[in-house]
Amino acid sequence: MRKPFIAGNWKLQKTVGESLDLAAALKQETAGIDDIDIVIAPVYTSLTKVADLLVGSNISVAGQNCYPAASGAFTGEVSPALLKDAGCRYCIVGHSERRQLFAETDAFINQKSRALIDAGMGVIFCVGETLEERESDQMYDVLTTQVREGLKGISAEEMQNLVVAYEPVWAIGTGKTASDEQAEEAHAFIRGLLQGLYDENVAEATRILYGGSVKPDNVDGLMAQQDIDGTLVGGASLKAADFARIIHFKRG
Ligand code: PEP
């Protein structure tokens, strides 16, 4: 059994005060849950205060990005070790907004995954096809390249520190969710890729999250799918009640 993993990506939203309010509300709404990994990813400027507020709770904090160097002349960047120092346990890499808006390549995403694992951090590794790629039958090739290149050099043992998030780009922030069947098909495909790249044990143990307009009213159907082990949530993670409902998804 894979432990469900529910993560909220706050993107470029919320002041320190607003972040603390949301984190405090979530702490209350999720008190006592110990069979789900719950993660939130606030903006950099809120990380330490949110992490301090959540010490001793069942919610972990994640960075939304990092730079794959320990230190040096990299103006504006933040290293995995500094994220850890700020109280983060995980970091998101490969989000489609970083791939598209900041031209991040699979090779660069791979360096970030490597640097995070070396720093003792967990990785939330995102992949997903655009609408154009899906409609031109390139989806499987795109996912294969993103997974193969992004995970290059990550050992089977190190995969214990990584969750994959399948996020079809056309479903992110659009209100258009993949159907349960579309999502399951992609997840099963990614699990098959992991089996090919590693082995059955890694494929069975790795959690694969779905992301793309997950809401309180569609989470139950998605989470009922065999290969969907959690969700990465953008918009609906910004309201405590909605994110709490997603965390409290109905189990079949
Ligand atoms: C995301 O940013 O990872 C995401 C899935 O956003 P949304 O839930 O708003 O589609």
Side-chain angles (χ1 to χ4, degrees), residues 144 147-148 151 154 156 159 187-204 206 208:
T144 302
V147 170
R148 195 184 51 217
L151 298 183
I154 308 291
M159 283 295 287
H187 280 233
F189 178 74
I190 292 168
R191 205 173 296 289
L193 287 176
L194 296 177
Q195 171 145 10
L197 286 173
Y198 295 97
D199 56 27
E200 173 98 34
N201 291 339
V202 171
E204 280 307 310
T206 302
I208 307 178

Side-chain angles (χ1 to χ4, degrees), residues 2 129 134 139-140 143 164-168 170-171 177-193 203-204 206-212 214 218-231:
R2 295 178 289 267
E129 81 287 356
R134 173 173 276 261
M139 167 179 144
Y140 294 116
L143 292 178
V164 178
Y166 168 64
E167 299 207 300
W170 47 274
T177 327
S179 66
D180 298 344
E181 295 72 26
Q182 283 173 320
E184 170 59 19
E185 188 188 8
H187 280 233
F189 178 74
I190 292 168
R191 205 173 296 289
L193 287 176
E204 280 307 310
T206 302
R207 289 170 294 177
I208 307 178
L209 324 180
Y210 169 78
V214 175
N218 60 24
V219 65
D220 299 337
L222 289 161
M223 287 301 291
Q225 304 305 308
Q226 191 179 326
D227 289 293
I228 299 184
D229 310 310
T231 60

Side-chain angles (χ1 to χ4, degrees), residues 120-139:
M121 297 268 293
V123 182
I124 301 171
F125 171 77
C126 306
V127 295
E129 81 287 356
T130 62
L131 188 59
E132 199 187 359
E133 289 162 346
R134 173 173 276 261
E135 288 180 343
S136 58
D137 287 334
Q138 293 178 72
M139 167 179 144

Side-chain angles (χ1 to χ4, degrees), residues 9 11 95 97 167 171-174 211-215 232-236:
N9 173 13
K11 309 193 186 188
H95 193 280
E97 286 151 18
E167 299 207 300
I172 297 179
T174 58
S213 298
V214 175
K215 309 279 178 222
L232 178 54
V233 186

Side-chain angles (χ1 to χ4, degrees), residues 44 65-71 77-84 116 121:
Y44 283 142
N65 185 28
C66 68
Y67 189 76
S71 63
E77 297 296 335
V78 172
S79 68
L82 289 181
L83 287 177
K84 196 175 176 187
L116 284 161
M121 297 268 293

